[in-house]
Amino acid sequence: MKKTSLITILLLTVTMSVSGNYGSSQDDCSLCRPDAFDNLQDYPKPQAKPVYVCPMHAKVVKDKPGKCPECGMSLVMKEAAKEQYTCPMHPKVVQDTPGKCPDCGMNLVRKEAAKVQYTCPMHPEVISDKADKCPKCGMNLVKKAPDSNSTTVKK
């Protein structure tokens, strides 16, 4: 009985050490480290299919070059928007590729595209996400300049 138990334990020990489960710790696991996913930007991103549009008719969209069915103009390739990355602590640091901030070493994050906002020419404190009417005077709202520093009032 003792020989059988000893052989069983010996076989289990050998099997576990060969498979790598015996004696491994969390430090040995490459996916368990806190920095395991820091280099995801090194992998290629899936490429979007090219899109072709008519310069005169934005509703005409095709997946290959050709002629616009409405006006006969050649379709042109629509360029994909370039991504930009910025530091959460240093917004003036902007790069075309992800990486680390040269000032503080933090990971750069994807910069969000600027939202279009609308304001009233007579009441610049009125700001809306839609081209609508001013609730104070009824004038049409116009696109707000991106560097304007008024406070946002949702209607």
Side-chain angles (χ1 to χ4, degrees), residues 50-72:
V51 175
Y52 297 87
V53 295
C54 175
M56 298 301 292
H57 302 100
K59 64 183 177 189
V60 176
V61 179
K62 303 282 182 182
D63 60 349
K64 55 188 173 193
K67 300 281 184 187
C68 173
E70 293 189 23
C71 67

Side-chain angles (χ1 to χ4, degrees), residues 12-47:
L12 282 173
T13 305
V14 169
T15 305
M16 289 177 69
S17 64
V18 169
S19 68
N21 292 330
Y22 180 74
S24 67
S25 69
Q26 195 174 21
D27 296 334
D28 297 335
C29 176
S30 63
L31 295 177
C32 298
R33 294 192 324 258
D35 64 342
F37 299 102
D38 281 354
N39 294 325
L40 287 179
Q41 68 266 13
D42 295 341
Y43 295 98
K45 292 181 182 174
Q47 296 296 320

Side-chain angles (χ1 to χ4, degrees), residues 5-15:
S5 298
L6 187 59
I7 292 173
T8 305
I9 292 172
L10 184 60
L11 283 173
L12 282 173
T13 305
V14 169
T15 305

Side-chain angles (χ1 to χ4, degrees), residues 6-152:
L6 187 59
I7 292 173
T8 305
I9 292 172
L10 184 60
L11 283 173
L12 282 173
T13 305
V14 169
T15 305
M16 289 177 69
S17 64
V18 169
S19 68
N21 292 330
Y22 180 74
S24 67
S25 69
Q26 195 174 21
D27 296 334
D28 297 335
C29 176
S30 63
L31 295 177
C32 298
R33 294 192 324 258
D35 64 342
F37 299 102
D38 281 354
N39 294 325
L40 287 179
Q41 68 266 13
D42 295 341
Y43 295 98
K45 292 181 182 174
Q47 296 296 320
K49 290 183 180 180
V51 175
Y52 297 87
V53 295
C54 175
M56 298 301 292
H57 302 100
K59 64 183 177 189
V60 176
V61 179
K62 303 282 182 182
D63 60 349
K64 55 188 173 193
K67 300 281 184 187
C68 173
E70 293 189 23
C71 67
M73 289 182 69
S74 295
L75 301 178
V76 295
M77 187 184 305
K78 184 176 180 183
E79 293 185 26
K82 260 194 159 178
E83 291 182 344
Q84 288 190 325
Y85 298 85
T86 186
C87 176
M89 299 302 293
H90 303 100
K92 292 185 179 183
V93 174
V94 179
Q95 296 180 0
D96 291 337
T97 58
K100 303 269 184 196
C101 173
D103 294 342
C104 66
M106 286 181 71
N107 285 335
L108 299 179
V109 295
R110 186 175 290 127
K111 189 175 181 180
E112 297 295 324
K115 283 179 28 177
V116 175
Q117 292 185 322
Y118 299 89
T119 186
C120 176
M122 298 302 292
H123 303 98
E125 70 275 8
V126 174
I127 298 171
S128 176
D129 293 335
K130 298 180 249 176
D132 210 353
K133 301 259 184 213
C134 175
K136 293 183 177 182
C137 67
M139 288 182 69
N140 288 334
L141 300 181
V142 296
K143 281 188 183 177
K144 180 182 166 195
D147 57 354
S148 182
N149 289 329
S150 59
T151 57
T152 301

